[in-house]
Every structure is written in C-alpha cells, then in structure tokens.
Amino acid sequence: APLEGIAVTVPGDFSSAAFLIVAALLVPGSRVVLPFTGINPRRTALLEVLRAMGGRVSIESIHGDRTEPAGDIAASSSTLHAVDVDDAAVVAAMIDEIPVLAVAATQAEGRTTIRGAGELRHKESDRIASMVENLRAMGARIEAHDDTLVIDGPTPLRGAKVSSFGDHRVAMAMAVAALIAAGPTDIADDAVIVADYGGNVVRLRRGDGGVVWKRALREKIVSTPAVTRERVVAVRVKGRAAHSRGVGRCPGGRVAVRRIPGGVQRGGAR
C-alpha cells in the first residue's frame, strides 16, 4: 500500500533548551519559560539533577495530546549545591547536557562529582578534556579522572580566551559560562553553535550590554531566545509567544531588548 503523509508537530529540542535553563539558574534575577519543549523522560534527566542541586525548574503545562510529550519548562535563578552523580542510567540520559551541567557545578556549593561519563570523550570533541581546559582558563576548580569530572564551587569565573574545539555543545556551554564571568570572553570557532539553533537568531546578552554570542543565518527568524543579566526571556517559537518578564517585547518573532551601552564579545569564524 502507498504511504500517506501525516502532520507531525515536533517539540523543541530539550538538549538545546538545556543551555538556556542553566543560564536562567545562574544569572541573578532571571526567569525563562521555554514553550512546547520536549520532555520525554528518557531525555530530561538533567532536570532531575538540577532540581537535586536546588535549581528552581518546573514544567508549567504539559501538552498531552501530542505523539511526543512536550511542555512549557520554566527556570528561575537559584542557589545551587553540589551533587554526586554516579547512576549510570542518569548519566547516559543526560550525556549531551553534561558540559553545561559542569558550568552549573562551578557555581554550586561543595564538590560535584559526575562518574561514568566516558562517552563524552568520543563526541565531536573530547568533551571532558574540552570543558576542563576551558573552565580552568576561566578560573574554575575542575579535574578529570578517566570518565569522571570533579568540580568544586562556588568559584567566581573570569573572562578568558576559550575554544569550542569544533563542538557545538562545548561552545554553548562556554557561552553560558561567559554570562556569569567577570570581563570579556572570546569563544574561538563559535560558528559551530549553528548545530543547535540552525538559522534562528540566538543572542546571549549580559547586563553590561556585552553580547556574548549572536548569530543569524537566514533572513526569516523563527525563534529568538535572549538572555540578559537581569532577566532571561524566551520569545516566539513557531509563532507561539513565550512568557516573558521585564525586558523588551516580541514583534514578528524578534526580541527587542532595551539598549544598554557596552561592547560586543564574540570570537571565531563568521
């Protein structure tokens, strides 16, 4: 029998949302709501770990009529404490989010240990080595032992020259770290972030006006997440306006953030 086409609504990718969730937890006074994001329990182990760390993360509504579970994920700035992650199933379920979890751990009180993450050494880069080198350059206290990451916190981060190592998840994790670092951060080869956000505009803006990362490939903008040091705002995903607080508005799928004097921080190929 011939195959017939069907209409499928695909929720937002949780792995891409994870960077904005962690940014909201770390930047003081922030709140973000990411509408219609995938919440398949096989992919959202990071949420449980962040909650165990004291992160204020919740699913505000669930879209249960879809084939793939989706919900509106809300996250707010939080005081974090360290955790010991040694459950193999949990580590496997959040393997792609461990780089940004490492950034969160630098701001958590105590020693965070993540065991059994050896798969990270065989991704687009050796993500264990990449994150250790980058975060150490920013002043973090982080060590690696085979398949284990050990991170002590909280540690104030400082701006530095870091690298994506050609890895989109490392690049985005370092962009989140740059939001809370003192001074400018230059991320070499940051164009790889396109792997997470495609042709959409992604802007991470600090409260001092520095744009940590900004990229646009297509004239038509479908979604625009924006982060400011005072607030975190997510607006318009496929025409749906996300909840926002305090900063800007969202005409035509763009975010309009009031201009604050400051410089642009970005690095790598354009």
Side-chain angles (χ1 to χ4, degrees), residues 206-254:
R206 301 193 330 181
D208 60 10
V211 177
V212 177
W213 194 87
K214 180 179 179 180
R215 179 106 180 150
L217 286 187
R218 290 197 300 265
E219 185 174 333
K220 182 179 179 182
I221 299 172
V222 179
S223 69
T224 307
V227 181
T228 78
R229 198 169 188 103
E230 298 173 349
R231 292 284 189 270
V232 180
V233 184
V235 296
R236 293 210 182 271
V237 177
K238 293 187 178 179
R240 294 167 54 95
H243 178 71
S244 61
R245 290 179 53 189
V247 177
R249 53 197 179 87
C250 47
R254 295 177 182 265

Side-chain angles (χ1 to χ4, degrees), residues 3-123:
L3 298 178
E4 296 183 2
I6 59 173
V8 177
T9 303
V10 180
D13 177 54
F14 177 80
S15 289
S16 297
F19 302 107
L20 300 179
I21 292 169
V22 171
L25 299 184
L26 299 183
V27 178
S30 296
R31 172 177 168 79
V32 66
V33 175
L34 300 168
F36 198 62
T37 301
I39 54 171
N40 189 314
R42 291 174 293 181
R43 289 291 302 116
T44 55
L46 177 70
L47 291 184
E48 299 308 314
V49 173
L50 292 175
R51 287 171 180 152
M53 297 174 75
R56 296 192 294 163
V57 186
S58 63
I59 299 173
E60 296 200 334
S61 59
I62 297 176
H63 305 278
D65 58 338
R66 311 288 181 175
T67 303
E68 181 71 8
D72 299 344
I73 301 176
S76 302
S77 57
S78 306
T79 300
L80 303 180
H81 55 261
V83 292
D84 191 357
V85 185
D86 60 1
D87 185 311
V90 171
V91 171
M94 65 172 188
I95 196 71
D96 287 331
E97 291 78 57
I98 288 177
V100 77
L101 176 61
V103 175
T106 69
Q107 304 306 302
E109 181 71 36
R111 172 167 288 187
T112 293
T113 304
I114 305 167
R115 297 181 176 86
E119 184 183 339
L120 288 177
R121 294 197 181 274
H122 308 286
K123 294 287 188 175

Side-chain angles (χ1 to χ4, degrees), residues 120-134:
L120 288 177
R121 294 197 181 274
H122 308 286
K123 294 287 188 175
E124 287 86 337
S125 73
D126 178 340
R127 288 178 179 165
I128 290 178
S130 298
M131 292 305 298
V132 168
E133 180 173 333
N134 281 340

Side-chain angles (χ1 to χ4, degrees), residues 169-199:
R169 300 200 192 280
V170 171
M172 277 303 299
M174 299 319 299
V176 173
L179 285 174
I180 57 172
T185 290
D186 183 67
I187 306 172
D189 194 18
D190 64 346
V192 295
I193 291 178
V194 160
D196 278 299
Y197 295 100

